[in-house]
């Protein structure tokens, strides 16, 4: 609770202050750099069974927009932990990034096509049985136990998606997405919320970090009309089509953008999405999950 209050104070009073913003930017970025150095050191010292195994049957799809340094950092972290993992990058930046990694498939979309159009374009190109959904400001570590998630899906044909834990830097806090409500939509779940399947519990909504069956994910897909607020809509439409479980032991780090005003102006323009969601789910007039 104390950490959350400090985070709220920093964001509302300091980060948004023209006077304090440059100092806070330097301070927070320095803290994140130190934290990542610490995490990389532990990664080297503690290789886990969750990183040892075959990932040839999975593809990571990364949606990126105007954050080349964060994208490069994510790709580097993937290559440290799962060097042979297939990667598809979908980029709708004004100047799409070019990476030297020849093992990466790049998909370029028109500027600001949006996160949903990007995820859909990446998913369309996946040929492996499993897909890993990622944002460009994520970071893999020794705790990103993809092998365990893939093995779990291989064992349990009645589960379609394994969602993981997202830890927000620099505060090391986690949001419990499993308690967030879906949009107002009438559908019956395949399993009731809280049902335990092979040690993991079923939930209707989780974070945007997950491993899923490619064919099942394609049956849900993303609405290209939603540029930003894809999170709640995706899980709402998934209800009754796929079964989602949450694995708290599959974790990655999340370093959000706080200071790039040009990026934030575009990223926080919810006007189009709010109208789409209001029209679709007019019974309760919700405008989506802005924490996605």
């Amino acid at each position: 609770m104390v950490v959350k209050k400090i985070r709220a104070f920093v964001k509302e009073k300091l980060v948004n202050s023209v006077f304090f913003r440059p100092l806070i930017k330097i301070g927070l970025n320095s803290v994140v750099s130190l934290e990542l150095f610490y995490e990389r050191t532990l990664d080297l010292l503690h290789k886990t069974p969750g990183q040892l195994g075959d990932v040839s049957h999975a593809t990571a799809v990364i949606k990126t927009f105007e954050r080349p340094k964060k994208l490069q950092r994510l790709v580097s972290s993937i290559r440290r932990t799962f060097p042979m993992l297939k990667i598809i990058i979908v980029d709708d930046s004004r100047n799409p990034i070019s990476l030297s990694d020849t093992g990466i498939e790049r998909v370029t979309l028109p500027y600001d096509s949006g996160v949903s159009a990007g995820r859909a374009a990446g998913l369309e190109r996946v040929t492996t049985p499993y897909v890993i959904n990622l944002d460009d400001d994520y970071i893999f570590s020794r705790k990103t136990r993809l092998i365990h998630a893939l093995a779990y899906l291989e064992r349990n044909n009645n589960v379609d998606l394994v969602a993981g834990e997202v830890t927000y830097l620099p505060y090391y806090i986690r949001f419990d997405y499993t308690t967030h409500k879906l949009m107002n939509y009438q559908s019956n779940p395949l399993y009731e919320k809280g049902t335990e399947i092979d040690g993991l519990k079923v939930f209707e909504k989780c974070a945007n970090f997950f491993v899923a069956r490619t064919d099942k994910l394609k049956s849900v897909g993303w609405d290209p009309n939603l540029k930003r607020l894809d999170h709640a809509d995706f899980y709402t439409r998934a209800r009754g089509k796929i079964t989602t479980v949450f694995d708290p032991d599959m974790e990655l780090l999340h370093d959000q953008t706080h200071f790039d005003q040009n990026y934030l102006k575009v990223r926080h323009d919810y006007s189009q999405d709010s109208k789409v969601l209001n029209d679709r789910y007019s019974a309760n007039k919700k405008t989506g999950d802005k924490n996605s």
Side-chain angles (χ1 to χ4, degrees), residues 15-289:
V15 171
N16 294 329
S17 166
V18 175
F19 178 77
F20 286 108
R21 188 183 298 147
L23 296 176
I24 298 300
K25 177 180 179 179
I26 293 172
L28 287 182
N29 287 345
S30 296
V31 171
V32 170
S33 295
L34 288 172
E35 289 172 340
L36 291 178
F37 175 77
Y38 170 75
E39 293 293 339
R40 285 194 293 270
T41 301
L42 292 182
D43 290 345
L44 291 172
L45 295 175
H46 301 285
K47 290 288 185 181
T48 69
Q51 292 176 236
L52 304 176
D54 182 19
V55 292
S56 63
H57 51 322
T59 302
V61 174
I62 306 170
K63 169 63 184 67
T64 187
F65 175 73
E66 298 291 340
R67 297 195 287 197
K69 291 183 179 180
K70 290 185 185 291
L71 174 63
Q72 289 176 319
R73 184 178 60 190
L74 169 59
V75 171
S76 295
S77 72
I78 293 174
R79 288 298 181 233
R80 283 196 303 270
T81 50
F82 300 99
M84 303 307 294
L85 182 63
K86 297 182 180 69
I87 300 175
I88 296 175
I89 295 174
V90 185
D91 193 347
D92 60 342
S93 302
R94 194 177 300 277
N95 297 301
I97 187 174
S98 178
L99 297 175
S100 58
D101 191 325
T102 57
I104 294 176
E105 180 180 352
R106 295 175 64 251
V107 180
T108 301
L109 297 182
Y111 175 70
D112 192 25
S113 294
V115 64
S116 295
R119 294 198 200 284
L123 180 61
E124 182 181 353
R125 289 162 174 78
V126 174
T127 58
T128 54
Y130 301 103
V131 59
I132 303 151
N133 189 66
L134 300 170
D135 290 335
D136 56 5
D137 55 354
Y138 290 160
I139 304 139
F140 276 34
S141 76
R142 65 200 173 281
K143 298 179 182 179
T144 311
R145 294 154 43 105
L146 297 182
I147 300 299
H148 286 253
L150 291 167
Y152 179 93
L153 289 170
E154 290 279 287
R155 292 196 309 271
N156 299 280
N157 293 326
N158 54 336
V159 177
D160 307 304
L161 186 154
V162 179
E165 186 75 86
V166 176
T167 299
Y168 287 71
L169 301 177
Y171 312 98
Y172 279 93
I173 62 173
R174 302 172 178 88
F175 294 106
D176 187 0
Y177 289 103
T178 65
T179 62
H180 292 195
K181 294 182 179 180
L182 300 179
M183 311 299 286
N184 187 39
Y185 183 72
Q186 297 299 320
S187 62
N188 296 318
L190 300 176
Y191 290 90
E192 290 298 325
K193 181 178 179 179
T195 301
E196 187 170 305
I197 301 176
D198 194 11
L200 299 180
K201 289 186 177 181
V202 172
F203 289 101
E204 294 179 340
K205 185 179 181 182
C206 296
N208 269 332
F209 163 47
F210 56 74
V211 181
R213 300 185 191 278
T214 303
D215 58 342
K216 290 291 188 176
L217 199 59
K218 287 182 177 179
S219 73
V220 179
W222 285 274
D223 182 354
N225 293 309
L226 293 173
K227 286 190 171 185
R228 330 278 181 222
L229 305 179
D230 64 305
H231 194 179
D233 177 74
F234 168 79
Y235 277 107
T236 297
R237 292 185 295 100
R239 188 173 190 259
K241 294 182 179 179
I242 67 175
T243 296
T244 295
V245 299
F246 172 59
D247 182 0
D249 292 329
M250 183 176 69
E251 176 187 340
L252 50 64
L253 303 171
H254 190 190
D255 176 28
Q256 291 179 300
T257 298
H258 299 292
F259 302 100
D260 186 337
Q261 297 305 307
N262 292 328
Y263 169 85
L264 293 173
K265 182 179 180 180
V266 176
R267 178 65 179 85
H268 292 161
D269 180 5
Y270 302 122
S271 55
Q272 173 183 318
D273 288 22
S274 295
K275 184 180 185 307
V276 171
L277 292 175
N278 280 332
D279 290 344
R280 178 174 301 159
Y281 305 106
S282 57
N284 62 0
K285 298 292 183 182
K286 288 187 178 180
T287 59
D289 180 0

